[in-house]
Amino acid sequence: MAEVILAIEYLHNTLDIVYRDLKPENILVMSNGHIKLTDFGLSKDKGLSNTMVGTLDYLAPEIINYKKHNRAVDLWCLGCLTFELLAGFPPFFS
């Protein structure tokens, strides 16, 4: 999780990119043990967005309600990802 946080921090602070699709399927573990994020198809650079994109299990409330959203949606996804890695299923699974 530490490397995922560092990767998201780099995207936000250095590249000004909102990832919007953080999930286990988009995290690759390389042969040296470090991670790489993949699938930047839903990413947005610079500014607010109000498009409905992402994986349903990880969508932040702002995206579901079609409200303008920013990099905070990646923090919501990070929380959902952490829960899934600990529990073995997504947080809103039913």
Side-chain angles (χ1 to χ4, degrees), residues 20-21 23 42 52-59 63:
R20 300 195 302 182
D21 199 24
K23 58 186 175 182
L42 300 179
M52 175 75 158
V53 296
T55 304
L56 194 55
D57 289 335
Y58 303 93
L59 286 181
I63 296 175

PDB file of all heavy atoms in Angstrom, residues 20-21 23 42 52-59 63:
ATOM      1  N   ARG A  20      -8.455   7.886 -11.110  1.00  0.00           N
ATOM      2  CA  ARG A  20      -9.875   7.514 -11.177  1.00  0.00           C
ATOM      3  C   ARG A  20     -10.176   6.043 -11.411  1.00  0.00           C
ATOM      4  O   ARG A  20     -11.342   5.676 -11.537  1.00  0.00           O
ATOM      5  CB  ARG A  20     -10.603   8.327 -12.252  1.00  0.00           C
ATOM      6  CG  ARG A  20     -10.567   9.795 -12.013  1.00  0.00           C
ATOM      7  CD  ARG A  20     -11.544  10.569 -12.832  1.00  0.00           C
ATOM      8  NE  ARG A  20     -11.396  10.410 -14.266  1.00  0.00           N
ATOM      9  CZ  ARG A  20     -12.147  11.043 -15.143  1.00  0.00           C
ATOM     10  NH1 ARG A  20     -13.077  11.857 -14.742  1.00  0.00           N
ATOM     11  NH2 ARG A  20     -11.959  10.860 -16.428  1.00  0.00           N
ATOM     12  N   ASP A  21      -9.204   5.166 -11.475  1.00  0.00           N
ATOM     13  CA  ASP A  21      -9.494   3.747 -11.707  1.00  0.00           C
ATOM     14  C   ASP A  21      -8.553   2.854 -10.909  1.00  0.00           C
ATOM     15  O   ASP A  21      -8.049   1.858 -11.423  1.00  0.00           O
ATOM     16  CB  ASP A  21      -9.397   3.434 -13.200  1.00  0.00           C
ATOM     17  CG  ASP A  21     -10.122   2.142 -13.564  1.00  0.00           C
ATOM     18  OD1 ASP A  21     -11.040   1.742 -12.820  1.00  0.00           O
ATOM     19  OD2 ASP A  21      -9.786   1.539 -14.591  1.00  0.00           O
ATOM     20  N   LYS A  23      -7.663   0.000  -8.688  1.00  0.00           N
ATOM     21  CA  LYS A  23      -8.220  -1.297  -8.300  1.00  0.00           C
ATOM     22  C   LYS A  23      -7.117  -2.335  -8.450  1.00  0.00           C
ATOM     23  O   LYS A  23      -6.102  -2.079  -9.111  1.00  0.00           O
ATOM     24  CB  LYS A  23      -9.432  -1.649  -9.151  1.00  0.00           C
ATOM     25  CG  LYS A  23      -9.149  -1.702 -10.640  1.00  0.00           C
ATOM     26  CD  LYS A  23     -10.424  -1.916 -11.427  1.00  0.00           C
ATOM     27  CE  LYS A  23     -10.141  -1.850 -12.922  1.00  0.00           C
ATOM     28  NZ  LYS A  23     -11.347  -2.017 -13.706  1.00  0.00           N
ATOM     29  N   LEU A  42      -8.825   6.095 -18.081  1.00  0.00           N
ATOM     30  CA  LEU A  42      -9.841   6.912 -17.423  1.00  0.00           C
ATOM     31  C   LEU A  42      -9.250   8.106 -16.688  1.00  0.00           C
ATOM     32  O   LEU A  42      -9.970   8.853 -16.036  1.00  0.00           O
ATOM     33  CB  LEU A  42     -10.640   6.052 -16.435  1.00  0.00           C
ATOM     34  CG  LEU A  42     -11.375   4.861 -17.032  1.00  0.00           C
ATOM     35  CD1 LEU A  42     -12.092   4.086 -15.943  1.00  0.00           C
ATOM     36  CD2 LEU A  42     -12.336   5.288 -18.110  1.00  0.00           C
ATOM     37  N   MET A  52     -18.942  10.210 -15.520  1.00  0.00           N
ATOM     38  CA  MET A  52     -19.194   8.967 -14.789  1.00  0.00           C
ATOM     39  C   MET A  52     -18.265   7.895 -15.347  1.00  0.00           C
ATOM     40  O   MET A  52     -18.559   7.279 -16.371  1.00  0.00           O
ATOM     41  CB  MET A  52     -20.658   8.564 -14.970  1.00  0.00           C
ATOM     42  CG  MET A  52     -21.005   7.249 -14.378  1.00  0.00           C
ATOM     43  SD  MET A  52     -21.124   7.348 -12.620  1.00  0.00           S
ATOM     44  CE  MET A  52     -22.134   5.945 -12.291  1.00  0.00           C
ATOM     45  N   VAL A  53     -17.112   7.701 -14.702  1.00  0.00           N
ATOM     46  CA  VAL A  53     -16.149   6.698 -15.132  1.00  0.00           C
ATOM     47  C   VAL A  53     -15.598   5.970 -13.920  1.00  0.00           C
ATOM     48  O   VAL A  53     -15.600   6.494 -12.815  1.00  0.00           O
ATOM     49  CB  VAL A  53     -14.971   7.321 -15.919  1.00  0.00           C
ATOM     50  CG1 VAL A  53     -15.444   7.945 -17.206  1.00  0.00           C
ATOM     51  CG2 VAL A  53     -14.232   8.328 -15.086  1.00  0.00           C
ATOM     52  N   GLY A  54     -15.148   4.751 -14.140  1.00  0.00           N
ATOM     53  CA  GLY A  54     -14.528   3.976 -13.078  1.00  0.00           C
ATOM     54  C   GLY A  54     -15.211   2.635 -12.907  1.00  0.00           C
ATOM     55  O   GLY A  54     -16.166   2.299 -13.598  1.00  0.00           O
ATOM     56  N   THR A  55     -14.691   1.875 -11.964  1.00  0.00           N
ATOM     57  CA  THR A  55     -15.242   0.564 -11.651  1.00  0.00           C
ATOM     58  C   THR A  55     -16.243   0.722 -10.522  1.00  0.00           C
ATOM     59  O   THR A  55     -15.966   1.370  -9.514  1.00  0.00           O
ATOM     60  CB  THR A  55     -14.106  -0.388 -11.244  1.00  0.00           C
ATOM     61  OG1 THR A  55     -13.138  -0.412 -12.296  1.00  0.00           O
ATOM     62  CG2 THR A  55     -14.628  -1.785 -11.004  1.00  0.00           C
ATOM     63  N   LEU A  56     -17.408   0.137 -10.663  1.00  0.00           N
ATOM     64  CA  LEU A  56     -18.525   0.354  -9.752  1.00  0.00           C
ATOM     65  C   LEU A  56     -18.166   0.136  -8.284  1.00  0.00           C
ATOM     66  O   LEU A  56     -18.587   0.906  -7.424  1.00  0.00           O
ATOM     67  CB  LEU A  56     -19.682  -0.554 -10.155  1.00  0.00           C
ATOM     68  CG  LEU A  56     -21.032  -0.245  -9.533  1.00  0.00           C
ATOM     69  CD1 LEU A  56     -21.440   1.185  -9.795  1.00  0.00           C
ATOM     70  CD2 LEU A  56     -22.072  -1.191 -10.056  1.00  0.00           C
ATOM     71  N   ASP A  57     -17.381  -0.876  -7.975  1.00  0.00           N
ATOM     72  CA  ASP A  57     -17.035  -1.173  -6.576  1.00  0.00           C
ATOM     73  C   ASP A  57     -16.171  -0.102  -5.938  1.00  0.00           C
ATOM     74  O   ASP A  57     -16.060  -0.043  -4.711  1.00  0.00           O
ATOM     75  CB  ASP A  57     -16.300  -2.509  -6.471  1.00  0.00           C
ATOM     76  CG  ASP A  57     -17.206  -3.683  -6.735  1.00  0.00           C
ATOM     77  OD1 ASP A  57     -18.421  -3.549  -6.528  1.00  0.00           O
ATOM     78  OD2 ASP A  57     -16.689  -4.746  -7.142  1.00  0.00           O
ATOM     79  N   TYR A  58     -15.552   0.756  -6.732  1.00  0.00           N
ATOM     80  CA  TYR A  58     -14.594   1.736  -6.214  1.00  0.00           C
ATOM     81  C   TYR A  58     -15.013   3.183  -6.460  1.00  0.00           C
ATOM     82  O   TYR A  58     -14.248   4.094  -6.194  1.00  0.00           O
ATOM     83  CB  TYR A  58     -13.224   1.502  -6.855  1.00  0.00           C
ATOM     84  CG  TYR A  58     -12.709   0.113  -6.631  1.00  0.00           C
ATOM     85  CD1 TYR A  58     -12.950  -0.885  -7.553  1.00  0.00           C
ATOM     86  CD2 TYR A  58     -12.005  -0.205  -5.481  1.00  0.00           C
ATOM     87  CE1 TYR A  58     -12.485  -2.176  -7.346  1.00  0.00           C
ATOM     88  CE2 TYR A  58     -11.540  -1.485  -5.263  1.00  0.00           C
ATOM     89  CZ  TYR A  58     -11.785  -2.462  -6.201  1.00  0.00           C
ATOM     90  OH  TYR A  58     -11.343  -3.730  -5.985  1.00  0.00           O
ATOM     91  N   LEU A  59     -16.209   3.397  -6.982  1.00  0.00           N
ATOM     92  CA  LEU A  59     -16.635   4.754  -7.327  1.00  0.00           C
ATOM     93  C   LEU A  59     -16.904   5.593  -6.090  1.00  0.00           C
ATOM     94  O   LEU A  59     -17.606   5.169  -5.174  1.00  0.00           O
ATOM     95  CB  LEU A  59     -17.902   4.721  -8.181  1.00  0.00           C
ATOM     96  CG  LEU A  59     -17.746   4.280  -9.615  1.00  0.00           C
ATOM     97  CD1 LEU A  59     -19.090   4.321 -10.324  1.00  0.00           C
ATOM     98  CD2 LEU A  59     -16.748   5.129 -10.356  1.00  0.00           C
ATOM     99  N   ILE A  63     -18.713  10.870  -7.958  1.00  0.00           N
ATOM    100  CA  ILE A  63     -18.835  10.354  -9.325  1.00  0.00           C
ATOM    101  C   ILE A  63     -20.228   9.761  -9.537  1.00  0.00           C
ATOM    102  O   ILE A  63     -20.863   9.998 -10.563  1.00  0.00           O
ATOM    103  CB  ILE A  63     -17.738   9.309  -9.612  1.00  0.00           C
ATOM    104  CG1 ILE A  63     -16.364   9.959  -9.561  1.00  0.00           C
ATOM    105  CG2 ILE A  63     -17.966   8.657 -10.964  1.00  0.00           C
ATOM    106  CD1 ILE A  63     -15.207   9.000  -9.723  1.00  0.00           C
TER     107      ILE A  63
END
